[in-house]
Amino acid sequence: MIGFLLIGILRDKSRSLLPMLVVGVGAMLTVFLHCWLTGIMGDSIELSARFATGHLKVMTRPYAAEAEQMPNELAIIGVGQLMDELSQTAPDMQWVARIRFGALLDVPDSLGETRAQGPVTGWALDLLSPGSSEAQRLNLASALTSGHLPQQAGQALITHDFATRFAVMPGHRITLMGNTMNGSLAFANFEVAGTVRFGSSAVDRGGIFIDLRDAQMAFDMRDAAGEVLGFFPKGFYVDATAQAVQQAFEAQHNNDTDEYAPVMMRLSQQAGMADYLAYANTMGSIMVMVFVLAMSVVLWNAGLLGGLRRYREFGLRLALGESKGHIYRTLLAEAVLVGTLGSTVGTAVGLALAFWMQTVGIDLSEMMPNASLMMPSVARAAITPPAYGIGFIPGLLSMVLGNALSGIGIYKRETARLFNELEV
Amino acid sequence: MPLIELQHLTKQFPTGNGFFTALKDITLSFGEGEFAGLVGPSGSGKTTLLNIIGSLDVPTAGSARVMGQPVGSLTHRQAADLRNHHIGFIFQTYNLLPVYTVYQNVEFALLLQKRNDAQRRTAVCDALEWVGLTDKMHSKPAQLSGGECQRVAIARAMVKRPSIVLADEPSANLDAENSHHILQTMQALNRDLHTTFIFATHDEKVMHYLQRIITLRDGVVENDQWHSPSPHQPPN
């Protein structure tokens, strides 16, 4: 009997190929949209992580209390040793030291006199070490509007808007005026290697990027850094994993009574990120739920129509002596089979598309040259564990429920009425 | 003992503001090996009566016993068992499953009876031989003529060797030549296997072959006459 029904499914394209295609497309769209939304929402968070918060951030206790003011006089001393320790605590993560600073940028004229001055927000990060992924992490190469990335000490990138406002070109000399770690005035000359634009007025208005060692020299911060950021290798923040790393770190430092002892904070614990994460999760869930519901209705109908279309066949099978219960069970078994196969194929295709979108992404930078929000210019999908199963909700569940509903008619109708579907 | 016994059988269908009486106080019985027909105009209750005999419907009043079983009080499963083992159906529009071969269409009823491969093969081959379609067993219904399709339907009805075959307008979609062929086939099966055939028809060609003609009009038996089977005449 099973073989007989399988032959029927295989040969009757309207019972196999068509519903499988509908289910497959539905599951594929659901999986892809889920990954896409997760990626888009996650990318905004990741952008903040890359520029400011990291997935985890280590600071001294007093620095953490005033982190938004970037108080480098409270920076971590002995950052090399701390990074070694972090690499042992969480070897899978990438740990990088950074110094964020506020300073005044002086642009001299040809005689060396001040031609223009303006405040800048600075990022000092490891741009010159071989194997450093910092430039890639901040997507500096793509953000370049002129010149090149720093290739040696003493070179800096400045943001495009600032450069335009003060007529600064790659090759020009600039002077950074700030504070050393000890509160003295600090002056350092840099050559502008290139200009960058991120599409965010908050950064583009006045930003400078220099190598970490240049900043340590300029601000008298040998073996010191304001922050050590930790990043997950897959590039996406996972709060549970971050929590585990944080707990392991705290277990080593909880008894440290030093006023400047390091503390670790997760992304979700920093500057409003908890609210944003909750918002992103809620919005993502709502959008995916709406889509899943819509697809469920479509596939429910497909299952319903598929069942209704076969009332004539059911009438014949009743006439031949098959019981209503057996017909109903075979209808559901077929729905499970078609739903499972369709959902599996659809999920596989959806994941493949999502993987491609996760790897390549779509560059939207040309579509938003004047965007003032801090948002990623490349939209990417993100494959997360729920993506492997979410396609089965509309695919399998709706298909089976649709068929189950249409099949109830087998019981509700008089046998003779079903039989009359045969148009005898 | 009759195979089918109907006593004061009445069947009503609910309508918007009351009931429509399709069958009224029918008392009939059918014995083994009968070749009988229910004739009458459309709406006279032929199909309703066939449905009740086929345990597809239940009487509103009176009783219907088929193979000794009371149709009105059977469960769905018992009714299905009765159809599966004792009743074959032949339809006006053949109702073959288009995706299956002739062999598989005929075999289906035996799958429901859970017979093994060898038993099924023998029974299907016998049934196809009775209707002269052994050479078409691997064809699909779409590759057959109307007459051949109806012969497959006869083989499907007969393959489980039922006691009763109910045929609703079996020749309505066939030309005269094919009608005669299938009626001759059914007559031969009736004679050789002693299967009771009950037709619902208003086709003169069919009536010509019937031993017994029961005329229905407005749900009542107007006439119940026995005839001698006519000699097999070639079609016009």
Side-chain angles (χ1 to χ4, degrees), chain A residues 147-317:
Chain A
H148 55 79
L149 296 182
Q151 291 164 342
Q152 59 190 50
Q155 291 189 329
L157 293 172
I158 58 171
T159 53
H160 180 81
D161 291 359
F162 186 91
T164 306
R165 195 161 69 245
F166 295 115
V168 178
M169 308 276 284
H172 285 181
R173 305 285 299 176
I174 52 173
T175 302
L176 198 62
M177 296 188 277
N179 290 86
T180 68
M181 193 177 169
N182 304 312
S184 309
L185 274 175
F187 298 90
N189 291 325
F190 289 91
E191 178 196 342
V192 176
T195 58
V196 285
R197 177 194 271 155
F198 297 96
S200 160
S201 63
V203 179
D204 291 341
R205 194 180 302 124
I208 183 167
F209 297 84
I210 59 175
D211 183 57
L212 182 68
R213 268 158 294 280
D214 284 343
Q216 286 173 327
M217 290 280 285
F219 304 132
D220 202 11
M221 293 176 71
R222 286 172 203 279
D223 197 25
E227 312 165 339
V228 174
L229 305 186
F231 294 95
F232 293 121
K234 286 188 178 175
F236 291 103
Y237 178 69
V238 185
D239 198 53
T241 316
Q243 220 163 344
V245 176
Q246 186 188 31
Q247 281 167 2
F249 181 82
E250 282 176 350
Q252 295 169 5
H253 291 275
N254 258 359
N255 298 327
D256 195 337
T257 54
D258 185 347
E259 185 186 353
Y260 293 95
V263 291
M264 183 178 277
M265 293 179 82
R266 308 194 304 274
L267 179 146
S268 58
Q269 293 175 311
Q270 299 177 53
M273 290 307 287
D275 293 338
Y276 184 74
L277 269 175
Y279 169 78
N281 284 336
T282 307
M283 286 307 293
S285 301
I286 288 172
M287 281 192 253
V288 168
M289 198 176 293
V290 166
F291 188 75
V292 165
L293 276 176
M295 281 315 302
S296 296
V297 170
V298 170
L299 296 181
W300 172 293
N301 271 310
L304 193 65
L305 291 174
L308 292 175
R309 194 181 57 80
R310 295 176 61 195
Y311 269 24
R312 189 182 156 118
E313 176 200 327
F314 298 153
L316 175 67
R317 286 165 62 177

Side-chain angles (χ1 to χ4, degrees), chain A residues 11-40:
Chain A
R11 288 190 189 158
D12 187 353
K13 301 285 186 286
S14 63
R15 274 162 70 189
S16 51
L17 188 63
L18 192 65
M20 264 185 65
L21 276 176
V22 174
V23 168
V25 168
M28 179 199 75
L29 288 174
T30 305
V31 170
F32 181 72
L33 184 80
H34 176 264
C35 294
W36 176 256
L37 283 174
T38 307
I40 296 283

